[in-house]
Amino acid sequence: MNDPQSATESSAAPAPGSRRPGGRTARTRAAVRDAVLTGLAEHGYPALTVEYVAEHSGVHKTTLYRRWGGIEGMLADALALAGEDRWTAPDTGDLGGDLRALAHEVAAAFADPAQAAAPTAFVAAAFQSPRAADALRAFYEERFRRCETVVERAVARGEAPAGTDAGAVVRAVSAPLFLRLFVTREPVDAAVADQAADTVLAAVRAGAFAPSPAGPEGGSEAEPGQT
């Protein structure tokens, strides 16, 4: 699972960095995005400045402030731009293969420290900037939404129980990987990725992500001895 313009006086105007223009402005947007990513990777969110982005993007500070409002707007737009790609979830022909492929994509994305620097800095920025946190959440919500198709196909093939929570399944695959990457700072390799995927696959087959059977009065069946 892979990685936003000027405010107006109207209250209905989009927030800075939220428009999707094309042409010359699209090139400007891409240049700003690249400068933001480079700055995050080199210096982290606290040291990222409008001056840095202006110098490395070739876009004047006045334009940056007018279109994006500041660093937070540029961060949000960089993530929004990343989310506009055409990435699709893998389709290996079975649920186990799809889940392992998803897990391997996460592992591969962070295997190279240079490649991982910018997305890691985005996560760090989300802890310091509410707008960055909102943008990061929106990015991953869209990514996970695209991933849900692997579970929907599995249900259609009879590999997963009807009603399986597709969103919960795809989040469960990446959760232990993100824990290692961003909390415990442990390495993530192919074996760890396979373990995460296979664990979720076993849980899916056991019905852990499907609705619980309803009891005679519409509630869950009580265990023997429970009241």
Side-chain angles (χ1 to χ4, degrees):
M1 290 172 278
N2 321 1
D3 319 336
Q5 215 119 262
S6 60
T8 70
E9 294 180 0
S10 169
S11 61
S18 63
R19 291 182 180 174
R20 302 290 186 272
R24 180 179 177 182
T25 304
R27 292 192 295 272
T28 298
R29 185 182 177 210
V32 170
R33 182 273 315 276
D34 291 345
V36 167
L37 293 177
T38 301
L40 280 176
E42 291 182 351
H43 306 294
Y45 173 70
L48 184 62
T49 64
V50 173
E51 289 75 14
Y52 177 96
V53 175
E55 178 182 353
H56 288 77
S57 67
V59 181
H60 197 277
K61 282 198 309 181
T62 302
T63 301
L64 295 176
Y65 279 116
R66 184 177 72 250
R67 292 183 176 174
W68 286 276
I71 288 296
E72 287 198 334
M74 296 178 219
L75 278 171
D77 194 43
L79 272 170
L81 192 56
E84 293 173 14
D85 64 6
R86 297 183 179 181
W87 180 88
T88 58
D91 185 359
T92 66
D94 68 87
L95 180 59
D98 289 348
L99 296 182
R100 282 188 287 273
L102 287 174
H104 278 260
E105 283 200 29
V106 174
F110 292 93
D112 178 2
Q115 181 182 352
T120 299
F122 262 121
V123 174
F127 285 93
Q128 303 169 69
S129 162
R131 187 163 181 194
D134 288 343
L136 189 67
R137 184 181 307 112
F139 173 81
Y140 275 111
E141 283 178 350
E142 172 62 15
R143 273 294 186 270
F144 289 133
R145 184 192 63 76
R146 297 188 205 181
C147 291
E148 290 178 9
T149 185
V150 305
V151 181
E152 294 163 357
R153 291 194 301 253
V155 171
R157 289 192 297 256
E159 293 181 88
T164 293
D165 188 334
V169 170
V170 296
R171 284 168 171 79
V173 172
S174 57
L177 307 180
F178 286 144
L179 173 69
R180 283 176 171 258
L181 290 165
F182 300 117
V183 180
T184 63
R185 309 297 290 180
E186 297 175 82
V188 171
D189 57 18
V192 171
D194 284 340
Q195 181 185 61
D198 291 346
T199 300
V200 174
L201 179 61
V204 170
R205 288 172 173 169
F209 294 96
S212 299
E217 296 182 3
S220 298
E221 288 282 7
E223 294 293 328
Q226 289 184 333
T227 58

